[in-house]
Amino acid sequence: MIRRMVKRGNFRRNLGQRFGFFTDEFQSNLRGKKTVWLQSISVGETQVALRLAREWMLREPDLQIVISVTTSTGFDLANRAPGKNFHVIYNPIDLAWIVRRTLNAVQPASLVLIEGTWPVLLAETWRRGIPVSLVARLSPRSARRFRRFRSFTGPIFALLDRVFVQEPEEKIIWETLGAPPRAIHCCGAIKYDEPPKPTVLRAEFQSILLSLGVTDSSFILLAGSTFPGEEVILARTYLKLRETFPDLFLILVPRHVERMPEILLELASLPLEIARRTEPKKADLLLVDTTGELRDWYAFATVVFIGKSLTSTGGQNPVEPALLGKPVVFGPHMENFAPIVRQWLETDAAIQVADESDLGIQVERLLKNPELRSALARQAIAAISVHFGATERVVDELTKLAV
């Protein structure tokens, strides 16, 4: 944990919160008020927490919301939420004395875990009679691990008062893992609930693209949340495609910005002029070296490639660009989003490629065929629509617990 915190940077900020130490001001702002604690991890989970928080506060305007995060990027995103009722902290280390200090400071009426469980925190909230809910997302890999160690993990999941799953088939999986059947509710995926709303960043990004020579008529291939090895594959693919599409532009948005030196070194051997988001200049491709902006960059794409699907396993969220009407391409490894990917492939709502060569063929096909791009986007949104309203359905259940 320490190694990862140092690597990600900004670990000294509010470091005491990770050990259960909070200011008198923080505690006095919550004292005597109804408070719910939403515990997230990084940017994706924090976006889910913020959606829940906004919906909950529409129903209870005086409610105090504590959102806790693990990463500094999640902390920055949560801190942008307006309103005096939002309080952002770092997740406490899951040790008994630290958890107790944090619970004493927050005094939550309810705890909501976003896509992750902390055993000591769960045990301590159960002892205090605080209801705990889990907004679940379970990869096949995690499910296999939990089954293997069910004698340890089963009693932990048994402490949950609500488990909100995304797909009906996940109910059976969670029952086999030890969650009480009465606690499991299929409400859909909050991440897929609504299209990303435009922000002021989009106007700024349009200006940046214009300064790079990218116009409204240019084709843009955007690779989102890329992992090691994928940036150079996309760059080589781009160079080949540019022979047919001279107005094509490439935008690379790596998952982890601390990899920038490594990425620049890999791309140095290619005949490409590279601009960075923080240092825009006339270039062939844009390398985004900032965080929390991917959804706004998606808005400018002609075709979107989903990272962590070619050279790594699991995949990243393919729904955000689809909700913006963008055709989506991904590699063979999308295990973390298996239900929606399976549905998309069955209904011709996305394109899955096998390797670098196939990637070039399929992207060229999409660039040549605007009707195909539109059809993919329409089919994807139709498949996602079953998740619309998920936020309201989850909050309906949460409000029954936090009394």
Side-chain angles (χ1 to χ4, degrees):
M1 176 184 173
I2 292 171
R3 179 184 60 80
R4 181 172 291 183
M5 285 169 58
V6 172
K7 184 179 179 182
R8 291 286 177 88
N10 255 348
F11 69 92
R12 291 185 181 87
R13 180 174 58 172
N14 296 326
L15 182 62
Q17 293 177 352
R18 299 184 189 269
F19 295 89
F21 293 98
F22 299 91
T23 64
D24 292 338
E25 180 184 4
F26 171 82
Q27 296 181 67
S28 65
N29 285 337
L30 300 179
R31 195 171 294 123
K33 300 173 183 175
K34 182 179 177 181
T35 302
V36 294
W37 178 2
L38 308 179
Q39 188 175 43
S40 67
I41 303 170
S42 192
V43 171
E45 297 80 15
T46 302
Q47 287 167 343
V48 171
L50 288 170
R51 286 188 179 183
L52 287 173
R54 294 184 186 110
E55 177 64 28
W56 208 333
M57 288 187 64
L58 287 176
R59 307 178 188 205
E60 299 184 57
D62 295 329
L63 185 69
Q64 302 296 309
I65 304 271
V66 172
I67 297 180
S68 66
V69 300
T70 296
T71 67
S72 57
T73 51
F75 192 92
D76 291 337
L77 175 64
N79 255 327
R80 295 177 200 157
K84 59 181 174 47
N85 291 18
F86 281 99
H87 311 273
V88 185
I89 62 173
Y90 279 106
N91 283 329
I93 298 169
D94 203 41
L95 296 174
W97 67 272
I98 297 176
V99 166
R100 288 170 190 148
R101 286 186 63 91
T102 305
L103 286 170
N104 290 340
V106 177
Q107 293 289 316
S110 182
L111 171 66
V112 183
L113 306 173
I114 312 294
E115 299 183 10
T117 52
W118 283 259
V120 175
L121 177 59
L122 258 171
E124 190 60 33
T125 49
W126 178 80
R127 288 191 191 101
R128 298 184 183 210
I130 299 169
V132 183
S133 304
L134 172 65
V135 178
R137 184 171 74 87
L138 190 65
S139 69
R141 182 184 181 191
S142 294
R144 287 193 298 271
R145 286 178 172 177
F146 290 146
R147 284 195 192 97
R148 183 180 177 187
F149 298 102
R150 192 182 185 281
S151 58
F152 296 100
T153 59
I156 295 170
F157 295 140
L159 301 179
L160 292 164
D161 296 279
R162 293 287 189 277
V163 179
F164 300 110
V165 299
Q166 301 179 8
E167 306 285 347
E169 57 263 34
E170 293 176 4
K171 281 187 171 184
I172 299 172
I173 296 173
W174 278 98
E175 284 184 31
T176 64
L177 295 179
R182 58 172 174 74
I184 306 170
H185 297 259
C186 182
C187 294
I190 295 170
K191 283 184 177 179
Y192 310 161
D193 193 0
E194 60 182 17
K197 294 180 174 61
T199 72
V200 293
L201 285 174
R202 293 196 190 169
E204 179 187 346
F205 293 172
Q206 190 165 33
S207 298
I208 291 173
L209 291 172
L210 286 172
S211 72
L212 297 172
V214 182
T215 66
D216 291 341
S217 61
S218 301
F219 287 136
I220 294 177
L221 171 60
L222 190 147
S225 290
T226 53
F227 270 62
E230 290 179 331
E231 294 88 7
V232 71
I233 289 174
L234 267 294
R236 288 196 298 256
T237 301
Y238 165 65
L239 283 171
K240 292 176 183 176
L241 289 170
R242 204 169 57 170
E243 296 173 6
T244 306
F245 306 95
D247 289 337
L248 181 64
F249 189 77
L250 175 64
I251 300 176
L252 298 175
V253 189
R255 175 66 174 175
H256 300 123
V257 295
E258 60 267 23
R259 292 183 48 243
M260 284 299 149
E262 165 197 332
I263 295 169
L264 289 168
L265 188 63
E266 285 184 342
L267 298 180
S269 61
L270 299 176
L272 289 168
E273 190 67 37
I274 300 170
R276 297 174 64 165
R277 158 79 167 92
T278 53
E279 299 174 4
K281 62 178 181 178
K282 203 80 169 179
D284 302 299
L285 72 86
L286 176 65
L287 188 58
V288 178
D289 55 355
T290 48
T291 60
E293 299 177 347
L294 179 56
R295 287 198 294 178
D296 287 291
W297 283 113
Y298 277 145
F300 296 93
T302 309
V303 176
V304 171
F305 169 78
I306 303 298
K308 203 184 178 183
S309 64
L310 264 181
T311 61
S312 191
T313 58
Q316 294 294 307
N317 185 356
V319 175
E320 288 181 344
L323 286 171
L324 288 164
K326 307 300 177 181
V328 170
V329 178
F330 40 74
H333 303 294
M334 289 293 291
E335 295 84 355
N336 290 348
F337 298 87
I340 193 71
V341 165
R342 183 172 59 251
Q343 189 177 12
W344 280 1
L345 295 177
E346 289 172 355
T347 58
D348 295 322
I351 293 176
Q352 188 166 43
V353 300
D355 50 29
E356 180 177 345
S357 174
D358 196 18
L359 174 64
I361 293 169
Q362 296 301 331
V363 172
E364 180 177 5
R365 179 176 162 229
L366 284 168
L367 293 176
K368 285 181 175 178
N369 193 335
E371 290 80 12
L372 177 60
R373 298 198 300 269
S374 298
L376 286 176
R378 283 197 306 272
Q379 289 292 97
I381 291 174
I384 299 164
S385 64
V386 298
H387 297 282
F388 295 167
T391 307
E392 291 184 14
R393 290 191 287 270
V394 170
V395 174
D396 283 345
E397 291 298 322
L398 292 175
T399 53
K400 296 175 185 177
L401 293 175
V403 294

Short mmCIF file of all heavy atoms in Angstrom, two decimals, residues 337-382:
data_model
loop_
_atom_site.label_atom_id
_atom_site.label_comp_id
_atom_site.label_asym_id
_atom_site.label_seq_id
_atom_site.Cartn_x
_atom_site.Cartn_y
_atom_site.Cartn_z
N PHE A 337 -16.22 -6.94 -18.03
CA PHE A 337 -17.50 -6.42 -18.52
C PHE A 337 -18.19 -7.49 -19.39
O PHE A 337 -18.85 -7.17 -20.38
CB PHE A 337 -17.27 -5.14 -19.32
CG PHE A 337 -16.68 -4.03 -18.49
CD1 PHE A 337 -15.30 -3.91 -18.34
CD2 PHE A 337 -17.49 -3.13 -17.83
CE1 PHE A 337 -14.75 -2.91 -17.56
CE2 PHE A 337 -16.94 -2.12 -17.04
CZ PHE A 337 -15.57 -2.01 -16.90
N ALA A 338 -18.04 -8.74 -18.97
CA ALA A 338 -18.51 -9.86 -19.79
C ALA A 338 -19.99 -9.79 -20.16
O ALA A 338 -20.34 -10.02 -21.33
CB ALA A 338 -18.19 -11.18 -19.08
N PRO A 339 -20.92 -9.48 -19.23
CA PRO A 339 -22.34 -9.50 -19.61
C PRO A 339 -22.68 -8.50 -20.72
O PRO A 339 -23.34 -8.87 -21.70
CB PRO A 339 -23.06 -9.15 -18.30
CG PRO A 339 -22.11 -9.56 -17.22
CD PRO A 339 -20.75 -9.26 -17.77
N ILE A 340 -22.24 -7.26 -20.58
CA ILE A 340 -22.59 -6.25 -21.58
C ILE A 340 -21.86 -6.51 -22.89
O ILE A 340 -22.41 -6.34 -23.98
CB ILE A 340 -22.31 -4.81 -21.06
CG1 ILE A 340 -22.97 -3.78 -21.98
CG2 ILE A 340 -20.82 -4.52 -20.94
CD1 ILE A 340 -24.47 -3.74 -21.88
N VAL A 341 -20.61 -6.98 -22.82
CA VAL A 341 -19.85 -7.28 -24.04
C VAL A 341 -20.50 -8.44 -24.79
O VAL A 341 -20.65 -8.40 -26.02
CB VAL A 341 -18.38 -7.61 -23.68
CG1 VAL A 341 -17.67 -8.28 -24.86
CG2 VAL A 341 -17.65 -6.33 -23.31
N ARG A 342 -20.91 -9.48 -24.07
CA ARG A 342 -21.57 -10.62 -24.70
C ARG A 342 -22.85 -10.18 -25.41
O ARG A 342 -23.12 -10.56 -26.56
CB ARG A 342 -21.89 -11.68 -23.65
CG ARG A 342 -22.52 -12.94 -24.22
CD ARG A 342 -22.63 -14.04 -23.16
NE ARG A 342 -23.43 -13.63 -22.01
CZ ARG A 342 -22.94 -13.38 -20.80
NH1 ARG A 342 -21.66 -13.50 -20.57
NH2 ARG A 342 -23.75 -13.01 -19.81
N GLN A 343 -23.61 -9.32 -24.74
CA GLN A 343 -24.85 -8.84 -25.33
C GLN A 343 -24.58 -7.99 -26.57
O GLN A 343 -25.27 -8.09 -27.59
CB GLN A 343 -25.63 -8.03 -24.29
CG GLN A 343 -27.03 -7.65 -24.72
CD GLN A 343 -27.78 -6.92 -23.61
OE1 GLN A 343 -27.19 -6.50 -22.63
NE2 GLN A 343 -29.08 -6.76 -23.79
N TRP A 344 -23.55 -7.13 -26.48
CA TRP A 344 -23.20 -6.29 -27.63
C TRP A 344 -22.78 -7.12 -28.83
O TRP A 344 -23.17 -6.84 -29.96
CB TRP A 344 -22.07 -5.33 -27.24
CG TRP A 344 -22.53 -4.13 -26.49
CD1 TRP A 344 -23.81 -3.82 -26.13
CD2 TRP A 344 -21.73 -3.05 -26.03
NE1 TRP A 344 -23.84 -2.62 -25.44
CE2 TRP A 344 -22.57 -2.13 -25.38
CE3 TRP A 344 -20.36 -2.78 -26.08
CZ2 TRP A 344 -22.11 -0.96 -24.80
CZ3 TRP A 344 -19.88 -1.61 -25.51
CH2 TRP A 344 -20.74 -0.71 -24.87
N LEU A 345 -21.96 -8.13 -28.60
CA LEU A 345 -21.47 -8.94 -29.71
C LEU A 345 -22.61 -9.74 -30.34
O LEU A 345 -22.63 -9.95 -31.57
CB LEU A 345 -20.36 -9.87 -29.24
CG LEU A 345 -19.07 -9.17 -28.76
CD1 LEU A 345 -18.06 -10.18 -28.25
CD2 LEU A 345 -18.46 -8.32 -29.88
N GLU A 346 -23.56 -10.18 -29.53
CA GLU A 346 -24.71 -10.92 -30.07
C GLU A 346 -25.61 -10.04 -30.91
O GLU A 346 -26.31 -10.54 -31.81
CB GLU A 346 -25.51 -11.53 -28.91
CG GLU A 346 -24.80 -12.69 -28.22
CD GLU A 346 -25.52 -13.14 -26.96
OE1 GLU A 346 -26.53 -12.49 -26.59
OE2 GLU A 346 -25.09 -14.14 -26.35
N THR A 347 -25.65 -8.73 -30.63
CA THR A 347 -26.55 -7.81 -31.34
C THR A 347 -25.80 -6.88 -32.29
O THR A 347 -26.37 -5.87 -32.73
CB THR A 347 -27.36 -6.97 -30.33
OG1 THR A 347 -26.45 -6.25 -29.47
CG2 THR A 347 -28.26 -7.86 -29.49
N ASP A 348 -24.54 -7.18 -32.59
CA ASP A 348 -23.73 -6.34 -33.49
C ASP A 348 -23.68 -4.89 -33.03
O ASP A 348 -23.88 -3.96 -33.80
CB ASP A 348 -24.27 -6.41 -34.92
CG ASP A 348 -24.14 -7.81 -35.51
OD1 ASP A 348 -23.12 -8.46 -35.26
OD2 ASP A 348 -25.07 -8.23 -36.22
N ALA A 349 -23.41 -4.71 -31.73
CA ALA A 349 -23.37 -3.37 -31.15
C ALA A 349 -21.94 -2.90 -30.89
O ALA A 349 -21.73 -1.76 -30.44
CB ALA A 349 -24.16 -3.34 -29.85
N ALA A 350 -20.95 -3.74 -31.10
CA ALA A 350 -19.54 -3.39 -30.92
C ALA A 350 -18.70 -4.34 -31.74
O ALA A 350 -19.21 -5.35 -32.25
CB ALA A 350 -19.14 -3.46 -29.44
N ILE A 351 -17.41 -4.04 -31.86
CA ILE A 351 -16.51 -4.88 -32.64
C ILE A 351 -15.37 -5.34 -31.74
O ILE A 351 -14.72 -4.53 -31.07
CB ILE A 351 -15.95 -4.12 -33.85
CG1 ILE A 351 -17.07 -3.83 -34.85
CG2 ILE A 351 -14.83 -4.92 -34.52
CD1 ILE A 351 -16.64 -3.00 -36.05
N GLN A 352 -15.14 -6.65 -31.72
CA GLN A 352 -14.03 -7.22 -30.97
C GLN A 352 -12.96 -7.68 -31.95
O GLN A 352 -13.26 -8.37 -32.93
CB GLN A 352 -14.50 -8.39 -30.11
CG GLN A 352 -13.45 -8.92 -29.15
CD GLN A 352 -14.06 -9.84 -28.10
OE1 GLN A 352 -14.90 -10.68 -28.39
NE2 GLN A 352 -13.65 -9.65 -26.86
N VAL A 353 -11.72 -7.28 -31.69
CA VAL A 353 -10.61 -7.62 -32.58
C VAL A 353 -9.69 -8.61 -31.89
O VAL A 353 -9.60 -8.65 -30.66
CB VAL A 353 -9.82 -6.37 -33.02
CG1 VAL A 353 -10.74 -5.41 -33.76
CG2 VAL A 353 -9.17 -5.67 -31.83
N ALA A 354 -8.96 -9.39 -32.69
CA ALA A 354 -8.11 -10.44 -32.14
C ALA A 354 -6.70 -9.95 -31.85
O ALA A 354 -6.06 -10.40 -30.90
CB ALA A 354 -8.05 -11.61 -33.11
N ASP A 355 -6.21 -9.02 -32.68
CA ASP A 355 -4.81 -8.60 -32.56
C ASP A 355 -4.61 -7.26 -33.26
O ASP A 355 -5.57 -6.62 -33.72
CB ASP A 355 -3.88 -9.66 -33.14
CG ASP A 355 -4.29 -10.10 -34.56
OD1 ASP A 355 -4.88 -9.28 -35.29
OD2 ASP A 355 -4.02 -11.26 -34.93
N GLU A 356 -3.35 -6.85 -33.37
CA GLU A 356 -3.02 -5.56 -33.97
C GLU A 356 -3.46 -5.48 -35.43
O GLU A 356 -4.02 -4.46 -35.86
CB GLU A 356 -1.51 -5.33 -33.87
CG GLU A 356 -1.05 -4.01 -34.47
CD GLU A 356 0.44 -3.78 -34.28
OE1 GLU A 356 1.08 -4.48 -33.45
OE2 GLU A 356 0.98 -2.87 -34.94
N SER A 357 -3.24 -6.53 -36.19
CA SER A 357 -3.63 -6.53 -37.60
C SER A 357 -5.13 -6.38 -37.76
O SER A 357 -5.61 -5.58 -38.57
CB SER A 357 -3.15 -7.82 -38.25
OG SER A 357 -3.62 -7.92 -39.58
N ASP A 358 -5.88 -7.13 -36.96
CA ASP A 358 -7.34 -7.06 -37.01
C ASP A 358 -7.84 -5.68 -36.59
O ASP A 358 -8.83 -5.17 -37.13
CB ASP A 358 -7.92 -8.14 -36.10
CG ASP A 358 -9.39 -8.41 -36.35
OD1 ASP A 358 -9.88 -8.04 -37.43
OD2 ASP A 358 -10.04 -9.00 -35.46
N LEU A 359 -7.15 -5.07 -35.63
CA LEU A 359 -7.52 -3.73 -35.19
C LEU A 359 -7.48 -2.75 -36.36
O LEU A 359 -8.41 -1.96 -36.56
CB LEU A 359 -6.58 -3.26 -34.07
CG LEU A 359 -6.75 -1.83 -33.59
CD1 LEU A 359 -8.11 -1.63 -32.93
CD2 LEU A 359 -5.63 -1.45 -32.61
N GLY A 360 -6.40 -2.79 -37.14
CA GLY A 360 -6.29 -1.89 -38.28
C GLY A 360 -7.38 -2.12 -39.30
O GLY A 360 -7.97 -1.16 -39.83
N ILE A 361 -7.70 -3.38 -39.56
CA ILE A 361 -8.74 -3.72 -40.54
C ILE A 361 -10.10 -3.18 -40.11
O ILE A 361 -10.83 -2.57 -40.89
CB ILE A 361 -8.80 -5.24 -40.75
CG1 ILE A 361 -7.52 -5.74 -41.43
CG2 ILE A 361 -10.03 -5.64 -41.56
CD1 ILE A 361 -7.38 -7.26 -41.43
N GLN A 362 -10.43 -3.40 -38.84
CA GLN A 362 -11.76 -3.01 -38.36
C GLN A 362 -11.91 -1.50 -38.21
O GLN A 362 -12.98 -0.95 -38.49
CB GLN A 362 -12.06 -3.71 -37.03
CG GLN A 362 -12.14 -5.23 -37.12
CD GLN A 362 -13.20 -5.70 -38.09
OE1 GLN A 362 -14.22 -5.02 -38.33
NE2 GLN A 362 -12.97 -6.86 -38.70
N VAL A 363 -10.86 -0.82 -37.77
CA VAL A 363 -10.95 0.64 -37.66
C VAL A 363 -11.07 1.25 -39.05
O VAL A 363 -11.86 2.20 -39.27
CB VAL A 363 -9.72 1.21 -36.91
CG1 VAL A 363 -9.73 2.74 -36.98
CG2 VAL A 363 -9.72 0.75 -35.46
N GLU A 364 -10.33 0.73 -40.03
CA GLU A 364 -10.46 1.23 -41.40
C GLU A 364 -11.88 1.03 -41.92
O GLU A 364 -12.46 1.92 -42.56
CB GLU A 364 -9.46 0.50 -42.31
CG GLU A 364 -9.54 0.98 -43.76
CD GLU A 364 -8.51 0.34 -44.66
OE1 GLU A 364 -7.79 -0.57 -44.19
OE2 GLU A 364 -8.43 0.74 -45.84
N ARG A 365 -12.44 -0.12 -41.63
CA ARG A 365 -13.83 -0.40 -42.03
C ARG A 365 -14.79 0.61 -41.43
O ARG A 365 -15.71 1.10 -42.12
CB ARG A 365 -14.17 -1.82 -41.58
CG ARG A 365 -15.57 -2.29 -41.88
CD ARG A 365 -15.72 -3.73 -41.47
NE ARG A 365 -17.12 -4.13 -41.35
CZ ARG A 365 -17.64 -4.76 -40.32
NH1 ARG A 365 -16.87 -5.09 -39.28
NH2 ARG A 365 -18.91 -5.08 -40.29
N LEU A 366 -14.60 0.96 -40.18
CA LEU A 366 -15.49 1.92 -39.53
C LEU A 366 -15.30 3.33 -40.09
O LEU A 366 -16.28 4.07 -40.28
CB LEU A 366 -15.23 1.92 -38.02
CG LEU A 366 -15.80 0.74 -37.24
CD1 LEU A 366 -15.23 0.70 -35.83
CD2 LEU A 366 -17.32 0.81 -37.20
N LEU A 367 -14.06 3.71 -40.34
CA LEU A 367 -13.81 5.05 -40.87
C LEU A 367 -14.41 5.23 -42.26
O LEU A 367 -14.84 6.33 -42.62
CB LEU A 367 -12.30 5.32 -40.90
CG LEU A 367 -11.60 5.43 -39.54
CD1 LEU A 367 -10.10 5.61 -39.72
CD2 LEU A 367 -12.17 6.59 -38.71
N LYS A 368 -14.48 4.15 -43.01
CA LYS A 368 -15.03 4.23 -44.37
C LYS A 368 -16.56 4.18 -44.38
O LYS A 368 -17.17 4.51 -45.40
CB LYS A 368 -14.50 3.05 -45.20
CG LYS A 368 -13.06 3.20 -45.63
CD LYS A 368 -12.62 2.00 -46.47
CE LYS A 368 -11.20 2.19 -47.00
NZ LYS A 368 -10.75 0.99 -47.78
N ASN A 369 -17.16 3.79 -43.28
CA ASN A 369 -18.60 3.50 -43.29
C ASN A 369 -19.33 4.23 -42.16
O ASN A 369 -19.50 3.68 -41.06
CB ASN A 369 -18.80 1.98 -43.16
CG ASN A 369 -20.22 1.56 -43.47
OD1 ASN A 369 -21.17 2.34 -43.34
ND2 ASN A 369 -20.39 0.32 -43.88
N PRO A 370 -19.80 5.46 -42.38
CA PRO A 370 -20.51 6.19 -41.32
C PRO A 370 -21.81 5.51 -40.90
O PRO A 370 -22.21 5.62 -39.73
CB PRO A 370 -20.78 7.56 -41.96
CG PRO A 370 -20.65 7.35 -43.43
CD PRO A 370 -19.66 6.25 -43.61
N GLU A 371 -22.46 4.78 -41.83
CA GLU A 371 -23.69 4.08 -41.47
C GLU A 371 -23.40 2.97 -40.45
O GLU A 371 -24.18 2.75 -39.51
CB GLU A 371 -24.36 3.47 -42.71
CG GLU A 371 -24.95 4.49 -43.68
CD GLU A 371 -23.90 5.14 -44.57
OE1 GLU A 371 -22.75 4.61 -44.59
OE2 GLU A 371 -24.20 6.16 -45.20
N LEU A 372 -22.29 2.28 -40.63
CA LEU A 372 -21.92 1.24 -39.69
C LEU A 372 -21.61 1.82 -38.32
O LEU A 372 -22.01 1.26 -37.29
CB LEU A 372 -20.70 0.46 -40.21
CG LEU A 372 -20.14 -0.62 -39.29
CD1 LEU A 372 -21.20 -1.69 -38.99
CD2 LEU A 372 -18.90 -1.25 -39.91
N ARG A 373 -20.93 2.97 -38.30
CA ARG A 373 -20.62 3.62 -37.02
C ARG A 373 -21.92 3.97 -36.29
O ARG A 373 -22.05 3.73 -35.08
CB ARG A 373 -19.79 4.88 -37.24
CG ARG A 373 -18.43 4.63 -37.88
CD ARG A 373 -17.48 5.80 -37.67
NE ARG A 373 -17.94 7.06 -38.23
CZ ARG A 373 -17.67 7.49 -39.45
NH1 ARG A 373 -16.94 6.74 -40.28
NH2 ARG A 373 -18.09 8.68 -39.87
N SER A 374 -22.87 4.52 -37.00
CA SER A 374 -24.15 4.91 -36.38
C SER A 374 -24.92 3.69 -35.90
O SER A 374 -25.53 3.70 -34.82
CB SER A 374 -25.00 5.71 -37.37
OG SER A 374 -24.35 6.90 -37.75
N ALA A 375 -24.90 2.62 -36.69
CA ALA A 375 -25.64 1.41 -36.32
C ALA A 375 -25.07 0.79 -35.06
O ALA A 375 -25.83 0.36 -34.17
CB ALA A 375 -25.60 0.41 -37.48
N LEU A 376 -23.74 0.73 -34.94
CA LEU A 376 -23.13 0.19 -33.73
C LEU A 376 -23.55 0.99 -32.50
O LEU A 376 -23.90 0.42 -31.46
CB LEU A 376 -21.60 0.22 -33.86
CG LEU A 376 -20.95 -0.80 -34.79
CD1 LEU A 376 -19.46 -0.55 -34.87
CD2 LEU A 376 -21.21 -2.22 -34.32
N ALA A 377 -23.51 2.30 -32.63
CA ALA A 377 -23.86 3.16 -31.50
C ALA A 377 -25.32 2.97 -31.09
O ALA A 377 -25.64 2.89 -29.90
CB ALA A 377 -23.58 4.62 -31.84
N ARG A 378 -26.22 2.90 -32.07
CA ARG A 378 -27.65 2.71 -31.77
C ARG A 378 -27.89 1.40 -31.05
O ARG A 378 -28.63 1.33 -30.06
CB ARG A 378 -28.48 2.77 -33.06
CG ARG A 378 -28.72 4.14 -33.62
CD ARG A 378 -29.87 4.11 -34.62
NE ARG A 378 -29.66 3.10 -35.66
CZ ARG A 378 -29.01 3.32 -36.81
NH1 ARG A 378 -28.48 4.51 -37.05
NH2 ARG A 378 -28.88 2.36 -37.70
N GLN A 379 -27.28 0.33 -31.55
CA GLN A 379 -27.47 -0.98 -30.95
C GLN A 379 -26.91 -1.03 -29.53
O GLN A 379 -27.49 -1.65 -28.64
CB GLN A 379 -26.80 -2.05 -31.81
CG GLN A 379 -27.49 -2.33 -33.13
CD GLN A 379 -28.85 -2.99 -32.92
OE1 GLN A 379 -29.88 -2.32 -32.92
NE2 GLN A 379 -28.85 -4.29 -32.72
N ALA A 380 -25.78 -0.37 -29.32
CA ALA A 380 -25.17 -0.37 -27.99
C ALA A 380 -26.06 0.34 -26.98
O ALA A 380 -26.28 -0.15 -25.87
CB ALA A 380 -23.80 0.30 -28.05
N ILE A 381 -26.59 1.50 -27.36
CA ILE A 381 -27.47 2.25 -26.46
C ILE A 381 -28.74 1.46 -26.16
O ILE A 381 -29.24 1.45 -25.03
CB ILE A 381 -27.79 3.63 -27.04
CG1 ILE A 381 -26.53 4.51 -27.04
CG2 ILE A 381 -28.91 4.31 -26.26
CD1 ILE A 381 -26.70 5.84 -27.70
N ALA A 382 -29.27 0.76 -27.17
CA ALA A 382 -30.47 -0.05 -26.95
C ALA A 382 -30.21 -1.14 -25.91
O ALA A 382 -31.06 -1.42 -25.05
CB ALA A 382 -30.92 -0.68 -28.27
#
